[in-house]
Amino acid sequence: MAAKLKKGDKVVVLAGKDKGKQGEITAVMPKDGKAVVDGINIATRHTRQSQTSQGGRIPKPMPVDLSNLAIVDANGKPSRVGFRTEDGKKVRFAKTTGDAL
C-alpha cells in the first residue's frame, strides 16, 4: 500500500496533548505506523556527556501515530489523502481541494 504521509509533508495534529499544532514530518516509520514531526510530542531525554556532545536534559521529538495526523492542504486546513492515476502514475491529492500533493 502506498504511503499517505511522507517525509517533508506539512501536517496538523488531530488528537493528543499537541492537538491543533502544525509541523513538518522529519521521519516516517511505516512498520510501526508512526511519524516524527518537528516540534511536536517533545520529551526530555537525560543524556550522559561524551566527547562529541554536551550532556544534560535534551528535548527530543517522539513518534506520533499516523492516525493522529492530517496533511495540510493549500488552504491551510487539515485534509485526507487520496490517490488517482495521472499519465499512468499514482499521484497523491488532498481530498478537500483536489490539488496534487
Side-chain angles (χ1 to χ4, degrees):
M1 175 132 180
K4 294 193 176 205
L5 297 174
K6 295 182 178 182
K7 181 179 176 179
D9 284 346
K10 187 101 167 153
V11 293
V12 64
V13 180
L14 300 176
K17 65 177 184 177
D18 294 321
K19 181 177 179 177
K21 290 185 181 177
Q22 292 186 5
E24 188 174 315
I25 295 180
T26 55
V28 179
M29 295 163 272
K31 200 172 203 180
D32 301 330
K34 295 180 182 275
V36 177
V37 183
D38 193 33
I40 305 293
N41 199 20
I42 301 293
T44 303
R45 292 282 153 231
H46 297 73
T47 41
R48 187 183 298 265
Q49 184 175 355
S50 67
Q51 286 183 336
T52 58
S53 66
Q54 180 71 27
R57 299 174 60 195
I58 298 173
K60 179 182 177 186
M62 301 303 284
V64 180
D65 203 82
L66 288 174
S67 64
N68 294 332
L69 299 174
I71 199 158
V72 176
D73 63 2
N75 299 333
K77 295 187 177 183
S79 175
R80 293 188 298 169
V81 177
F83 294 96
R84 64 177 166 224
T85 55
E86 291 180 3
D87 301 327
K89 291 190 175 186
K90 195 181 223 183
V91 177
R92 297 183 312 150
F93 72 97
K95 289 203 172 189
T96 53
T97 60
D99 295 337
L101 298 173

